Amino acid sequence: MTSVLNVDTIADKAGSGPVGLTKQSAAKVLFGMNLNSSTYMDVANNTLCSMTLNISSGTDAGTGLARGNITNAMASKQYICSSDIYAANHTQNPDVGVSTTSLIATQQHNAEDKSDLDAYGWTKIHGDLA
């Protein structure tokens, strides 16, 4: 028998917090920052995207180096992290030597000549919060 669940809001028993997920994981951090020298996809230079989640502030730490301060820290550095970049032939990777439970650090590169570059990148983190 098919069931349909129609709701506007799902909250915990107290009605004030998120629900627990069983045997699944939702992204705990979405970090989107435009390091490009001009507005890109309606996000100004050195600005966080409005869709950013669990990031209190972002910093341009040099060419191709974006830093996001995580509002609610992760439980450990063993989180699952994936990054994307909105530009052809470029890459964005987590900077594992700099990232911590409360800071996500990324590096952006031109995939053809391996040089650092400023672009608009995204990072998603899955794992447990502290």
Side-chain angles (χ1 to χ4, degrees):
M1 174 184 251
T2 303
S3 298
V4 176
L5 179 64
N6 296 313
V7 298
D8 293 322
T9 303
I10 297 177
D12 62 356
K13 286 182 183 179
S16 58
V19 296
L21 298 175
T22 303
K23 298 184 180 183
Q24 55 186 320
S25 175
K28 303 302 189 302
V29 176
L30 297 174
F31 173 47
M33 186 168 178
N34 180 16
L35 298 181
N36 197 306
S37 61
S38 60
T39 298
Y40 191 75
M41 295 188 70
D42 297 330
V43 179
N45 170 253
N46 289 337
T47 303
L48 293 173
C49 173
S50 63
M51 299 304 292
T52 294
L53 170 70
N54 196 18
I55 294 288
S56 60
S57 63
T59 304
D60 181 344
T63 303
L65 302 175
R67 305 289 186 257
N69 295 301
I70 300 173
T71 305
N72 299 297
M74 301 301 292
S76 74
K77 284 177 51 174
Q78 295 183 22
Y79 44 72
I80 305 300
C81 181
S82 62
S83 294
D84 300 307
I85 199 165
Y86 288 109
N89 297 324
H90 301 314
T91 63
Q92 176 171 291
N93 306 306
D95 189 344
V96 296
V98 177
S99 294
T100 68
T101 58
S102 57
L103 175 78
I104 183 63
T106 62
Q107 303 171 320
Q108 299 174 346
H109 304 283
N110 181 319
E112 293 173 356
D113 66 11
K114 309 293 187 252
S115 64
D116 295 340
L117 68 104
D118 287 336
Y120 179 29
W122 272 93
T123 300
K124 297 156 292 292
I125 297 177
H126 290 256
D128 293 327
L129 297 175

